[in-house]
Amino acid sequence: MNSALLTPQFLRFLMAGGIAAAANYGSRFLFSLWLGYGTAIVLAYLVGMVVAFVLMRQHVFDAKKSALGPQIMKFVGVNVLAVLQTLAISLVLARWVFPKLGIVEHAEAVAHLVGVLVPVVTSYFGHRMLTFK
């Protein structure tokens, strides 16, 4: 395993990301009361992004002294790639993989959970090397 993943900073990233993922995942159910599955995933991801940015800027990367605007733009860029990963994985699993495996009950919820978890490592390195550098 890469030594960059065995640091206190990465553990803080996981904690902040876990809180943001919970906000993302939980809000998707709320959005799904009024919106389609794909739209709800994207909006929930935005909720998670706001929570993640605040926590990571304050507690993970200690980037409070750097200019806010460029950080937000870079953060959004890294997360656009991550939301595309999340959306693609969630839809592929829920629409094609799980039905072929006979998984019907809670398929969308499980697919979305997997979709949210996948970009953890790619996002960490993106934020470490670009957003909060």
Side-chain angles (χ1 to χ4, degrees), residues 84-95:
L84 292 174
Q85 286 178 308
T86 298
L87 184 60
I89 290 164
S90 298
L91 291 172
V92 167
L93 288 175
R95 302 289 189 246

Side-chain angles (χ1 to χ4, degrees), residues 6-119:
L6 301 174
T7 65
Q9 183 183 51
F10 184 69
L11 295 176
R12 288 191 310 272
F13 178 83
L14 289 177
M15 290 178 68
I19 293 167
N24 176 339
Y25 188 67
S27 67
R28 199 278 297 167
F29 291 96
L30 213 67
F31 290 129
S32 288
L33 294 174
W34 300 282
L35 304 167
Y37 183 60
T39 303
I41 286 172
V42 172
L43 291 177
Y45 200 88
L46 293 174
V47 168
M49 262 181 45
V50 170
V51 172
F53 181 81
V54 170
L55 292 176
M56 288 179 194
R57 187 169 196 267
Q58 295 291 320
H59 302 292
V60 177
F61 296 104
D62 193 29
K64 296 176 286 263
K65 294 177 185 159
S66 299
L68 184 62
Q71 283 181 349
I72 290 172
M73 296 305 292
K74 292 173 188 174
F75 190 85
V76 168
V78 169
N79 280 287
V80 164
L81 296 175
V83 76
L84 292 174
Q85 286 178 308
T86 298
L87 184 60
I89 290 164
S90 298
L91 291 172
V92 167
L93 288 175
R95 302 289 189 246
W96 294 289
V97 175
F98 288 170
K100 285 188 189 271
L101 296 174
I103 301 170
V104 179
E105 193 169 334
H106 307 295
E108 288 185 345
V110 174
H112 182 217
L113 179 60
V114 173
V116 167
L117 293 175
V118 167

